[in-house]
Amino acid sequence: MAEGSNKGEYPMSSTRIGMDTDPNSAITQFLTKCDDYQLFQLTKFYRDRLEQAIEGGVDGVSLSLTYERIFTGQEHRKVTELVDKGNRVDSSKLLLNLVMEKGSRARRVMWESFVKMRHGVPKLDKILKEIQERGSDAFDDMNIAQGLSELPSRLKDLQQKHKKTLRVQTETLRVNTILIKEKVKIFQLVDRYAELTVISTVRDRTLVEHELLARGRDHEEWREKHLRKELEKIRTDQLFQSSFSQRKSKSGNSAAASGVPGIGKTTMVQKIVYDWATEKIYPHFQFVFSFKFRDLNTINCRINLRNLILFFYPYFGNILGELWKNPEGLLFIFDGLDEFKDSTDFADNQRNTEPQSMCTDPEFRCEVSDIVYSLIQHKLLPGCSVLVTSRPTALHLLEKAEISVWAEILGFVGDERKEYFNKFFEDQTVAAAVFKHVEENEILYTMCYNPSYCWILGLSLGPFFTQRDRKQQQVPKTITQLYSYYIYNILKNHGREIENPRDVLLKLGEMAFTGVFEKKIVFRNEDLIKYNLQPSQFLSGFLMELLEKNDSAQSVVYTFPHLTIQEFVAALTQFLTPDPGEIGKLLSETHSEKDGRFEIFLRFVAGLSSPQSAWPLVKFLGSFLHQTTCRVIDWVKEKVEGQIGDTETETGKRKLLNTFHYLFESQNKTLARNTVGSVETLSFSELRLTPIDCAVLSHVIGLCDTIKHLDLEECYIQCEGFRRLGPVLHKCLELSLGDNEVGDSGVKLLSAALRNPECKIQKLDLHDNDLSDSCAEDLASALSTNRSLIDLNLGFNKLGDSGVKLLSVALRNSECKIQELCLHKNTLTDSCAEDLASALSTNQTLRILNLESNSFTDQSVPALRRLILTCGSLEWISLFGNQFSPNGERQLESLRESRRGLRVTVWTFQSINIAAPPVTVKS
């Protein structure tokens, strides 16, 4: 029998093993008071989260269990072998399996080790804080799902019918294609569905930038750092009755899942409904009712919950009254809050003053918004559970709602992207070729966190790897080129259906532009009539048809598959119109919109001025208006030249970066050289740059002939950004790259630039970049061959003695030209003093050496004296903030007299009688 299956196995009087960790810790006291069965419950309840939390410290937990003779040496080796192979997920699962098998003492020792290591493991610390805050209530929370009444036999047949209906509705996935013979392909959901990464928090409640830009800008950062260290992944079956709930109540749970357009919210809801209907998840829910806000918009009258359900699920008839008796068994899903036409703002105080706004009776007629509001707030059918999905832009409406679980869909992370392409293409050779191209082009790869972008890429790139007449060097590199091929494929497959595709696209683009201007993404028949558009198979390549219910019948509305397609078609129109009119004025007006709604539109306009982007479309649409192309190029030139000197403010830097995106999309080397070719200084300091931004910046610098100073201090570019910038960094005279968390791997990339025979770098600032001794060998090798670098700042890193020993090899080289070297605060001790002295005894170029805020003591004084006396070029050495005695200070300071003009700074904090400065710990 599995341990814990019988509660009587753990009587309340069972012996407790005391915990010898901090006796004053509230969590320690709580765990000590837990009997064996309660600790079993706690472990089981939090198990999924514990698997994630201990991934980073699983070897330490295993060691504690081995030390207490709970694990055998062989079991410990099995756990650590998985860690050594980099498979920490399986390692933590194995550890928890072993602990659960071994019984109560194993669990106590495990939790004991959790308390000891909590402060170094953010996810584990979060769990322990939650347990501490809940106290004894935690065990009540675990049992909320228990005690649900058995489904009466008369409802079992209805439940099976409902599950069958939902299974039929959700088992297939309709995917739009651009094939003339097969406009829509139908797949089995389980064959096509690729798992998404969902996190148990919401990072941003509002987006101030275009949603594509905002997610592109921070996605890699969160994926690489926070997901690993802090953000907890949550499965869809954990949204209810799980340890992720921030609040527990018998009145029911509400969950909110957010995500940007195209991230997969609706498909995820479909998978949840399908999994419930096939009895894979949520067995405690007896009935699930799923609604789309888009469908609810068609209900223009007061209605009650009974009739709302019957409108979509008519077979429930008069039986709904039975369901109201057991609301704990009901789950309501509402998909797409951002598309809801009515207000559901939970911060609206009128809700508390107008009785009719709060619906407490499922038979009471009211507005649809009041039903949704009252269900989420647990005023209607208290005890039921509710799931709401929304774009982040509408999530603020739920800020003050009674939400138990906040979740955000991050989309595809890591191999999930590859999995999508493997499922998208039947031919795995094609799938591998397309994914390889995407992976190598970071601008495309960064987009692929979003399933919609993957879909566009699959449709657009597939033909390049399946048709022999396509040349692979023509595979699109910019976003504009990519979308041009997307439209090209539609025209190729559907262009013969209509007499004048140019005319249709012109009208469609006018409608699209108005939509961008008005922030409108759903279009109706009256919109098509207004722009003289007729529904057709050709038009369906651009617009998806969505069924919308109303009182009398079903109607059809239209939307572009993604907002960026709408923006591209709107941009394309500017080149098709026979009368360009005041195109310059239009571009300036759209550029001045402060909310960024036209940002991607303008990138597409700039990109379509490029022959590489235009030529795929010219065959079907005719030549682009030359006058428009010239005016767009002039406009881009004007914007770059007007912005190039305005980088004093963050706004100015952001605007300049945007104009560089225009240059990149245009792929116009002549334009770039004419505008930025003679630029000497580029500064984006304190402006967060994405890998995409770095790729664009690399393209621009590559066309600069006179670049001298590149200031990217505190841009958080990390190693990913360095990889894009690496090929052009050798062109700069001064590189300010401090405080970017580039790490050792980033320095390896930078070392390649230093080894470049054409390297011009004279001044390099790498302070505060998380550098350790691991990068010193690469850096030393580069310095040994470099002939340009004279000023190197490596302060505020952790090179340590071993790292400086490796650097000393380069400093000893007679060809080394370093004149200024900063090793401020690098955890240096007396152990490296001799190496420095030996290396610099023959050095004839070093003038300034900064060794401040390290841990040198009197033991290193002889070596440092020899360094100062033998390094003939030395003008100033700073040893401020080390640990010399007054005697040691005097010995070093006396060397000022040895050479005229020599400065030796040796004060310690003690000798000048001031407190040491506060230490800032960076996260």
Side-chain angles (χ1 to χ4, degrees):
M1 179 182 293
E3 186 177 5
S5 59
N6 184 352
K7 186 171 181 176
E9 185 182 345
Y10 300 101
M12 292 295 288
S13 59
S14 64
T15 304
R16 299 188 179 96
I17 297 174
M19 295 198 173
D20 58 3
T21 53
D22 180 10
N24 298 315
S25 166
I27 184 63
T28 298
Q29 292 175 17
F30 171 78
L31 294 172
T32 302
K33 290 177 182 178
C34 289
D35 63 45
D36 293 343
Y37 178 69
Q38 288 173 325
L39 206 58
F40 169 80
Q41 277 186 306
L42 206 63
T43 309
K44 187 176 180 182
F45 185 66
Y46 282 99
R47 174 162 181 162
D48 288 321
R49 292 178 66 185
L50 288 172
E51 282 183 4
Q52 291 185 57
I54 66 173
E55 283 178 15
V58 64
D59 37 2
V61 179
S62 181
L63 191 63
S64 296
L65 290 161
T66 307
Y67 180 79
E68 293 292 338
R69 299 182 181 276
I70 291 168
F71 279 7
T72 65
Q74 184 179 5
E75 287 169 333
H76 176 63
R77 282 192 296 275
K78 285 182 179 180
V79 172
T80 54
E81 281 173 4
L82 289 170
V83 174
D84 294 339
K85 293 177 181 177
N87 198 346
R88 289 186 174 271
V89 176
D90 287 344
S91 178
S92 62
K93 287 181 179 179
L94 174 60
L95 183 141
L96 286 165
N97 284 338
L98 289 170
V99 167
M100 293 302 278
E101 288 173 4
K102 289 181 177 292
S104 58
R105 183 167 179 268
R107 285 189 286 274
R108 287 199 177 274
V109 172
M110 180 180 71
W111 282 96
E112 212 176 289
S113 66
F114 290 167
V115 174
K116 291 177 181 177
M117 66 188 289
R118 63 183 294 186
H119 297 298
V121 187
K123 292 182 184 179
L124 189 58
D125 189 50
K126 182 179 178 182
I127 293 171
L128 291 173
K129 283 179 180 176
E130 288 179 12
I131 294 172
Q132 182 176 316
E133 289 169 3
R134 288 178 178 177
S136 59
D137 292 339
F139 301 108
D140 295 332
D141 295 340
M142 296 174 199
N143 295 320
I144 286 178
Q146 299 177 6
L148 286 178
S149 57
E150 182 70 20
L151 188 67
S153 58
R154 61 183 177 278
L155 292 180
K156 286 185 178 179
D157 291 340
L158 179 63
Q159 184 192 60
Q160 290 306 309
K161 180 178 182 179
H162 185 50
K163 286 186 175 181
K164 182 178 180 181
T165 301
L166 293 181
R167 187 169 63 250
V168 171
Q169 289 177 354
T170 58
E171 66 186 355
T172 58
L173 192 64
R174 294 170 60 86
V175 179
N176 291 287
T177 76
I178 50 177
L179 303 175
I180 191 167
K181 294 180 180 179
E182 201 172 14
K183 184 169 68 172
V184 175
K185 291 186 75 171
I186 298 176
F187 299 89
Q188 291 296 309
L189 177 66
V190 293
D191 294 336
R192 190 75 172 189
Y193 186 78
E195 288 296 331
L196 295 161
T197 290
V198 184
I199 54 174
S200 63
T201 187
V202 177
R203 298 172 296 163
D204 301 310
R205 299 286 174 86
T206 57
L207 290 177
V208 295
E209 297 181 308
H210 187 288
E211 286 167 326
L212 168 64
L213 292 178
R215 279 300 170 263
R217 185 163 295 137
D218 67 2
H219 179 71
E220 289 300 314
E221 165 205 341
W222 284 91
R223 178 175 67 87
E224 295 294 337
K225 181 180 179 181
H226 297 287
L227 187 61
R228 183 179 68 252
K229 293 184 178 179
E230 298 169 14
L231 298 180
E232 295 182 278
K233 294 177 71 170
I234 178 172
R235 300 192 309 268
T236 52
D237 63 336
Q238 296 173 320
L239 290 170
F240 300 99
Q241 307 296 352
S242 76
S243 62
F244 287 102
S245 293
Q246 295 178 1
R247 52 175 298 283
K248 294 274 187 179
S249 170
K250 292 185 178 180
S251 65
N253 291 312
S254 293
S258 77
V260 297
I263 202 70
K265 297 183 293 295
T266 298
T267 307
M268 185 187 75
V269 165
Q270 181 178 340
K271 185 67 161 53
I272 288 173
V273 174
Y274 176 78
D275 285 346
W276 176 80
T278 53
E279 301 183 351
K280 293 178 182 176
I281 63 172
Y282 298 143
H284 55 284
F285 289 133
Q286 295 164 352
F287 291 93
V288 172
F289 299 105
S290 181
F291 307 94
K292 289 183 171 66
F293 279 107
R294 186 185 298 138
D295 294 333
L296 299 181
N297 287 339
T298 63
I299 300 175
N300 297 315
C301 61
R302 295 172 74 84
I303 193 172
N304 58 29
L305 180 59
R306 173 190 292 277
N307 289 332
L308 182 65
I309 293 175
L310 292 177
F311 184 73
F312 295 96
Y313 306 101
Y315 48 84
F316 275 85
N318 296 321
I319 206 74
L320 286 171
E322 293 292 320
L323 273 58
W324 308 152
K325 296 176 183 178
N326 186 28
E328 291 82 5
L330 303 179
L331 169 62
F332 293 91
I333 301 175
F334 294 97
D335 182 31
L337 175 64
D338 49 280
E339 297 178 355
F340 196 28
K341 67 179 182 180
D342 295 328
S343 173
T344 51
D345 192 343
F346 289 79
D348 187 355
N349 292 327
Q350 289 186 345
R351 292 283 184 183
N352 300 322
T353 59
E354 298 182 14
Q356 69 273 17
S357 296
M358 185 65 76
C359 177
T360 59
D361 185 350
E363 309 292 339
F364 178 74
R365 288 183 176 275
C366 56
E367 299 297 328
V368 173
S369 61
D370 295 329
I371 293 176
V372 175
Y373 176 90
S374 301
L375 283 171
I376 293 173
Q377 292 294 77
H378 317 299
K379 303 301 181 183
L380 177 59
L381 298 180
C384 73
S385 296
V386 182
L387 169 63
V388 182
T389 72
S390 173
R391 292 186 187 184
T393 46
L395 208 60
H396 65 280
L397 299 174
L398 296 171
E399 283 276 9
K400 297 189 177 180
E402 297 291 326
I403 302 296
S404 305
V405 175
W406 291 97
E408 181 180 351
I409 305 172
L410 283 185
F412 294 143
V413 175
D415 289 341
E416 292 165 353
R417 308 176 186 204
K418 187 175 183 180
E419 179 191 355
Y420 180 94
F421 287 104
N422 287 341
K423 291 189 174 184
F424 186 93
F425 295 102
E426 295 178 6
D427 187 335
Q428 292 303 291
T429 303
V430 174
V434 170
F435 181 72
K436 183 175 184 293
H437 174 75
V438 169
E439 194 174 27
E440 289 174 351
N441 188 317
E442 285 299 324
I443 291 182
L444 302 183
Y445 183 70
T446 305
M447 293 169 60
C448 283
Y449 73 91
N450 191 311
S452 280
Y453 300 150
C454 292
W455 173 75
I456 293 169
L457 287 167
L459 289 177
S460 302
L461 295 175
F464 284 94
F465 299 95
T466 56
Q467 298 178 11
R468 293 181 180 178
D469 60 333
R470 297 286 181 91
K471 296 180 180 179
Q472 291 206 8
Q473 62 265 30
Q474 295 174 343
V475 176
K477 296 180 179 179
T478 69
I479 300 176
T480 309
Q481 291 174 11
L482 171 71
Y483 279 70
S484 290
Y485 279 107
Y486 173 76
I487 304 299
Y488 167 87
N489 285 325
I490 296 175
L491 292 167
K492 181 180 179 182
N493 288 285
H494 296 295
R496 297 175 185 174
E497 300 167 16
I498 56 171
E499 190 173 321
N500 192 341
R502 183 184 182 114
D503 183 58
V504 173
L505 270 177
L506 178 59
K507 296 170 182 175
L508 183 66
E510 290 173 352
M511 186 178 80
F513 179 84
T514 302
V516 175
F517 182 79
E518 298 177 354
K519 293 187 175 180
K520 181 178 180 179
I521 62 171
V522 176
F523 303 91
R524 303 180 182 279
N525 278 318
E526 50 264 36
D527 294 308
L528 269 61
I529 293 170
K530 178 181 178 181
Y531 291 96
N532 198 22
L533 290 166
Q534 298 292 328
S536 65
Q537 192 171 9
F538 173 74
L539 199 62
S540 68
F542 299 91
L543 293 176
M544 294 192 301
E545 299 178 359
L546 304 172
L547 288 179
E548 190 174 66
K549 293 184 178 182
N550 55 38
D551 291 335
S552 57
Q554 290 184 337
S555 60
V556 175
V557 295
Y558 306 90
T559 184
F560 289 88
H562 194 269
L563 178 58
T564 47
I565 295 177
Q566 179 176 335
E567 291 166 316
F568 182 86
V569 174
L572 179 59
T573 297
Q574 312 309 315
F575 294 86
L576 301 181
T577 179
D579 180 13
E582 298 183 8
I583 181 69
K585 181 180 178 182
L586 172 71
L587 294 174
S588 295
E589 288 176 351
T590 53
H591 184 262
S592 64
E593 288 286 345
K594 294 183 179 180
D595 62 3
R597 75 182 73 177
F598 284 109
E599 196 53 61
I600 300 302
F601 163 81
L602 289 171
R603 290 189 189 181
F604 283 141
V605 170
L608 285 167
S609 69
S610 163
Q612 298 102 305
S613 297
W615 80 259
L617 302 173
V618 168
K619 178 179 178 181
F620 297 98
L621 302 178
S623 299
F624 286 8
L625 203 63
H626 180 67
Q627 186 180 359
T628 301
T629 300
C630 291
R631 289 187 181 181
V632 169
I633 293 172
D634 288 342
W635 179 82
V636 173
K637 182 174 184 288
E638 174 191 335
K639 288 302 168 188
V640 177
E641 290 176 342
Q643 201 63 47
I644 199 72
D646 181 17
T647 56
E648 294 298 319
T649 65
E650 181 179 346
T651 301
K653 293 170 185 175
R654 176 60 63 194
K655 286 183 177 178
L656 178 60
L657 185 61
N658 281 334
T659 61
F660 282 178
H661 275 275
Y662 303 154
L663 279 179
F664 178 78
E665 289 297 322
S666 75
Q667 291 290 295
N668 189 328
K669 292 184 178 179
T670 302
L671 174 61
R673 287 197 175 100
N674 288 341
T675 52
V676 299
S678 58
V679 169
E680 294 187 353
T681 300
L682 286 174
S683 175
F684 295 99
S685 59
E686 299 182 17
L687 188 70
R688 181 159 295 195
L689 302 180
T690 70
I692 290 179
D693 294 331
C694 291
V696 168
L697 193 55
S698 177
H699 172 79
V700 171
I701 294 173
L703 298 172
C704 282
D705 299 322
T706 56
I707 184 72
K708 290 183 179 179
H709 185 196
L710 178 62
D711 184 0
L712 300 181
E713 186 168 330
E714 207 172 334
C715 289
Y716 204 64
I717 55 179
Q718 300 182 293
C719 183
E720 289 296 313
F722 254 52
R723 187 169 286 114
R724 314 307 176 270
L725 289 164
V728 298
L729 292 178
H730 69 279
K731 299 181 67 174
C732 306
L733 295 180
E734 295 183 24
L735 282 176
S736 299
L737 301 171
D739 201 3
N740 274 298
E741 297 191 15
V742 300
D744 297 330
S745 53
V747 170
K748 289 184 179 182
L749 295 168
L750 182 60
S751 297
L754 291 171
R755 282 192 291 267
N756 190 314
E758 298 180 3
C759 180
K760 298 177 181 178
I761 302 172
Q762 295 180 4
K763 185 175 181 179
L764 176 60
D765 184 351
L766 287 171
H767 80 270
D768 203 0
N769 266 303
D770 291 336
L771 308 185
S772 72
D773 58 350
S774 297
C775 72
E777 187 173 356
D778 291 282
L779 193 56
S781 173
L783 294 179
S784 296
T785 58
N786 182 277
R787 299 294 175 265
S788 63
L789 190 65
I790 59 175
D791 187 339
L792 177 61
N793 185 351
L794 296 171
F796 287 93
N797 285 297
K798 297 176 182 178
L799 294 175
D801 296 331
S802 55
V804 169
K805 286 180 182 180
L806 291 168
L807 285 179
S808 297
V809 176
L811 295 172
R812 190 178 291 114
N813 191 314
S814 60
E815 298 296 324
C816 180
K817 305 299 182 184
I818 298 290
Q819 296 179 20
E820 298 185 27
L821 177 62
C822 178
L823 294 171
H824 178 112
K825 202 170 185 180
N826 259 284
T827 64
L828 306 184
T829 71
D830 298 328
S831 296
C832 71
E834 190 65 44
D835 294 281
L836 278 172
S838 175
L840 295 175
S841 63
T842 58
N843 187 289
Q844 299 301 314
T845 59
L846 190 70
R847 295 186 301 105
I848 297 174
L849 177 61
N850 186 337
L851 297 174
E852 294 177 0
S853 299
N854 284 295
S855 298
F856 293 113
T857 69
D858 288 1
Q859 187 177 339
S860 64
V861 167
L864 292 173
R865 282 177 59 87
R866 192 166 67 258
L867 182 159
I868 296 169
L869 290 170
T870 58
C871 185
S873 57
L874 192 66
E875 297 175 5
W876 178 42
I877 179 171
S878 180
L879 293 160
F880 175 83
N882 280 283
Q883 299 172 17
F884 302 113
S885 69
N887 181 51
E889 285 184 42
R890 286 193 293 271
Q891 289 187 53
L892 292 168
E893 287 178 337
S894 66
L895 296 176
R896 294 173 185 160
E897 308 300 325
S898 65
R899 192 161 65 245
R900 186 176 180 180
L902 177 65
R903 288 189 296 157
V904 182
T905 306
V906 204
W907 300 323
T908 63
F909 298 125
Q910 293 79 12
S911 68
I912 57 177
N913 198 28
I914 60 172
V919 177
T920 301
V921 180
K922 286 187 169 288
S923 59

